[in-house]
Amino acid sequence: MDDPSGGLWDKSLVLVGLLGLFFFGTAVYAFIWARRQRQFSDFDKGARSIFDEEEPEGLVTDKFPADAPEGPVKGPDSGSKPPSR
Amino acid sequence: MSSQAYDLYSGADPRLADGNPTRLGQIDRSVRAPVIIFFVLSVLWLLAGSLFGVVSAIKLHAPHFLGETEWLTFGITRSLHLNIVTFGWGSNAIYGVSLWLMHRLCRVELGFAWVPVMGAVIWNLALIAGLVGMATGHMTGVEWLEMPKEVAPALAAAFMLIGVWNIVAFARRKSEHVYVSQWYILAAVFWFPLLYCIAEMMILWYPARGTVQAITNWWFGHNVLGLWLTPMGVAAAYYFIPKVLGKPIHSYYLSIVGFWTFALFYNWAGVHHLIGGPIPVWMQSAGVVASVMMVIPVLVTAINFHNTTIGRENWRIISDSPTLRFIIFGAINYTLSSLAGSFMALREVSSVTHFTNAVVGHAHHGMYAFLSMILFGAMYFIVPRLLYREWPSATLIRAHFWFCAIGVTGYLVVMTIHGVMQGMDINSGVAFTDSTADGVTTLGIAAKSLPWNGMRTFCGVLMTIGHFAFAANLFWMLSGTAASKYKEGPTLLSRNASPALEGVAR
């Protein structure tokens, strides 16, 4: 007896396989694109691209808020006291 | 409001004499409205999701708890918990983090902030509609796609309004190099809508028959974690760890290897949820192979983070930084949970852990100990830069960290041990023999689970307390009371920064 769902089952399975291949293909395509864009040519520059003059390398950019006095403060140069904790 | 408070919406940067924002400040300002909205919504969903999680956990050792109300029965609360934390907490938080991070890395401003804001409104209204649908008996019964199918188009449209700005920012980027975080974000915003639409189509709108539905279901279910949540978490870790430490990542080469192996392997791994199920064996094997291949990107990433953060000076910065505390905890657990996942995909291990609490524990390892902790850390960094304010209470941050870290670690230990015990009992048949507890005869597996499920609830309550501490701090900060101070300097969040931490290259 013919199972009406049999053909569809096979078709769907092929579809799932194609989807997997499609996703794989997009990753391969993106890889080739990135290589053409010379994204893999200077790793050192890539690693340093998160720093700029405003937040330069060597600047620690996060710390617990201190339980110190309140009020507006001027700028980065006001914090030369020793750590409170 | 005291004199220290300033107008949240004026956009003037109190750090500078003329009130004009710096370059990064301008970028931050351009994404401020949508990002803050996403964060606030995500934290509200987090609280709701935690409560549903705790309620579900309690029902496992006190079955009559809230059992009189239909929509508060286990089947519904458990699914509400899953959908709220995934699409409410996780996705909203990720939208915020990715928009902020992408624009910052591309060095461009967001031009039309109202569009993602509209996306946020539609996404969250559709989510509410979907959850109400679930609670009123319209749940689909397909894991990870429980919301009624009618909300899917609205969710997809909302995603387009939000996610597309990451692509627009990338196309307009002014930075020469594409940083590895940008790769991860791009991959996620490109893959997720495809995944979601295909799964909705193939499972709910034009359902595939038979076991193909299950295959599609787990291809989708696992890829929500693998191709949507995970890349966003890793993207944040790759940015914030070197950023806060002020030194570049140990090996950029390794990070690139990690990304591309991740992109090539992860998509195939989902079938490992069906090991032993009635699907072709070659497909299960492909899933096992892909899951084990994931060891490569995971170890590469782990080595990279480890070598970046090693050293006494770095550890001092990490313990002094709310952001890094959370993110390092998350990064360590990314490694551990991914390796555990590869291990659990092996047939021999899966035959024990499948259908037990170990799987639930593993899900929380990935979704919570890894992803949520990293998202918390990212928020601790981002929100002060958007509001120009300090977090009001360091104590609440510490409470948040320790309650959540201890809670989730305990949860994982309890669930893993109990899961393995359950699996061995099931495989040996002991689970289905009667046992007597308190004079009531029950199945052995149910009687044995009571103390473990009690501990599970306890750990869930710990995490929930942490979430309330976080929410209190956030809403206190947003309310702009006198306790919130101006954020100091361009970067440091402390009034008393030590000279060593003050821009001196180490």
Side-chain angles (χ1 to χ4, degrees):
Chain A
M1 194 187 115
D2 278 283
D3 181 358
S5 67
L8 191 60
W9 196 94
D10 286 345
K11 256 187 272 171
S12 310
L13 191 62
V14 170
L15 192 56
V16 175
L18 286 177
L19 287 174
L21 281 176
F22 171 74
F23 275 59
F24 187 78
T26 56
V28 172
Y29 175 78
F31 183 80
I32 294 168
W33 178 84
R35 197 178 157 272
R36 289 217 184 109
Q37 291 272 310
R38 305 190 62 74
Q39 290 296 338
F40 305 135
S41 59
D42 189 347
F43 288 124
D44 190 55
K45 253 181 138 176
R48 288 189 161 74
S49 65
I50 58 169
F51 301 109
D52 55 17
E53 27 347 306
E54 216 180 304
E55 290 184 352
E57 201 180 327
L59 183 75
V60 174
T61 53
D62 189 49
K63 204 162 183 293
F64 265 96
D67 309 311
E70 298 160 21
V73 280
K74 276 168 281 158
D77 53 356
S78 60
S80 52
K81 285 162 277 175
S84 62
R85 55 181 293 278
Chain B
M1 289 230 196
S2 73
S3 60
Q4 297 128 33
Y6 81 108
D7 180 7
L8 181 60
Y9 302 101
S10 72
D13 188 342
R15 296 172 295 186
L16 299 173
D18 58 4
N20 291 324
T22 58
R23 187 154 162 253
L24 286 178
Q26 279 173 347
I27 297 171
D28 285 352
R29 192 177 62 176
S30 74
V31 297
R32 178 164 65 190
V35 171
I36 291 291
I37 287 170
F38 280 123
F39 284 176
V40 168
L41 290 169
S42 72
V43 171
L44 292 175
W45 284 119
L46 176 71
L47 298 180
S50 317
L51 292 179
F52 277 109
V54 169
V55 167
S56 311
I58 292 174
K59 286 166 180 291
L60 290 174
H61 52 86
H64 298 295
F65 177 68
L66 297 180
E68 315 256 305
T69 318
E70 276 171 34
W71 65 278
L72 288 175
T73 47
F74 181 81
I76 291 177
T77 56
R78 179 253 173 225
S79 301
L80 287 177
H81 167 67
L82 184 144
N83 280 271
I84 289 175
V85 295
T86 307
F87 299 109
W89 151 243
S91 296
N92 273 311
I94 277 174
Y95 289 140
V97 171
S98 65
L99 278 179
W100 180 85
L101 195 51
M102 197 58 156
H103 285 86
R104 186 170 251 237
L105 285 171
C106 293
R107 310 275 200 283
V108 292
E109 290 171 41
L110 170 62
F112 300 89
W114 61 273
V115 181
V117 168
M118 219 169 76
V121 172
I122 298 175
W123 177 272
N124 287 282
L125 286 180
L127 183 59
I128 291 171
L131 296 170
V132 169
M134 286 167 65
T136 52
H138 302 280
M139 190 153 73
T140 63
V142 181
E143 203 168 359
W144 292 97
L145 291 173
E146 286 96 341
M147 285 188 273
K149 67 178 181 197
E150 286 75 15
V151 302
L155 287 177
F159 183 92
M160 284 301 152
L161 295 179
I162 304 160
V164 73
W165 293 100
N166 286 316
I167 296 168
V168 169
F170 185 78
R172 294 173 56 221
R173 70 188 181 278
K174 290 178 185 145
S175 52
E176 190 188 339
H177 276 265
V178 182
Y179 189 62
V180 61
S181 299
Q182 287 165 290
W183 284 121
Y184 278 106
I185 295 174
L186 276 184
V189 292
F190 175 72
W191 279 328
F192 180 63
L194 278 176
L195 268 172
Y196 185 74
C197 293
I198 290 167
E200 280 283 340
M201 285 289 176
M202 282 189 66
I203 297 180
L204 298 179
W205 289 82
Y206 306 102
R209 302 275 191 88
T211 55
V212 177
Q213 223 182 69
I215 296 169
T216 317
N217 187 185
W218 282 111
W219 175 74
F220 170 73
H222 197 84
N223 282 340
V224 171
L225 302 170
L227 299 180
W228 170 234
L229 304 171
T230 303
M232 292 297 196
V234 178
Y238 263 121
Y239 180 77
F240 289 111
I241 292 175
K243 183 51 144 181
V244 176
L245 288 176
K247 65 174 209 175
I249 196 85
H250 167 72
S251 165
Y252 194 70
Y253 172 75
L254 280 183
S255 69
I256 292 293
V257 171
F259 172 75
W260 290 101
T261 45
F262 170 93
L264 294 175
F265 302 147
Y266 215 149
N267 161 42
W268 301 98
V271 201
H272 66 215
H273 285 269
L274 296 167
I275 289 171
I279 63 165
V281 174
W282 65 265
M283 213 173 227
Q284 301 176 26
S285 302
V288 174
V289 170
S291 306
V292 176
M293 291 290 262
M294 280 304 291
V295 169
I296 298 172
V298 168
L299 275 190
V300 157
T301 306
I303 292 168
N304 220 354
F305 288 157
H306 179 79
N307 284 343
T308 307
T309 51
I310 200 81
R312 186 173 295 175
E313 172 68 6
N314 287 337
W315 276 102
R316 199 168 62 84
I317 298 172
I318 289 165
S319 75
D320 277 356
S321 156
T323 301
L324 272 197
R325 255 194 211 202
F326 281 91
I327 287 192
I328 295 292
F329 185 92
I332 291 171
N333 280 294
Y334 171 61
T335 310
L336 296 178
S337 70
S338 304
L339 292 179
S342 299
F343 186 64
M344 284 164 79
L346 299 174
R347 282 193 170 85
E348 289 75 10
V349 182
S350 181
S351 67
V352 175
T353 56
H354 211 162
F355 305 120
T356 70
N357 268 351
V359 175
V360 184
H362 178 64
H364 285 77
H365 200 184
M367 261 300 284
Y368 194 95
F370 155 53
L371 182 82
S372 298
M373 291 301 260
I374 284 189
L375 292 175
F376 291 140
M379 288 183 178
Y380 277 118
F381 191 91
I382 296 171
V383 178
R385 282 162 178 76
L386 298 180
L387 299 182
Y388 304 129
R389 283 190 195 153
E390 286 268 26
W391 288 94
S393 165
T395 312
L396 282 175
I397 299 177
R398 292 196 185 92
H400 177 203
F401 179 77
W402 288 111
F403 274 105
C404 291
I406 294 172
V408 74
T409 309
Y411 188 94
L412 183 67
V413 170
V414 167
M415 297 295 269
T416 306
I417 296 175
H418 182 221
V420 171
M421 284 169 55
Q422 279 182 317
M424 287 157 81
D425 280 355
I426 291 171
N427 288 353
S428 67
V430 177
F432 306 108
T433 55
D434 292 343
S435 83
T436 307
D438 301 330
V440 183
T441 304
T442 46
L443 276 181
I445 195 165
K448 270 193 186 176
S449 71
L450 288 178
W452 297 98
N453 282 332
M455 287 189 274
R456 166 194 191 156
T457 302
F458 176 72
C459 295
V461 169
L462 288 186
M463 289 185 260
T464 307
I465 293 173
H467 300 158
F468 275 92
F470 179 49
N473 222 1
L474 179 67
F475 291 115
W476 189 356
M477 188 177 187
L478 283 167
S479 70
T481 57
S484 334
K485 299 157 220 161
Y486 282 127
K487 187 174 93 56
E488 174 179 331
T491 46
L492 282 179
L493 281 179
S494 167
R495 160 173 287 275
N496 298 313
S498 75
L501 301 177
E502 192 65 32
V504 182
R506 281 167 290 113

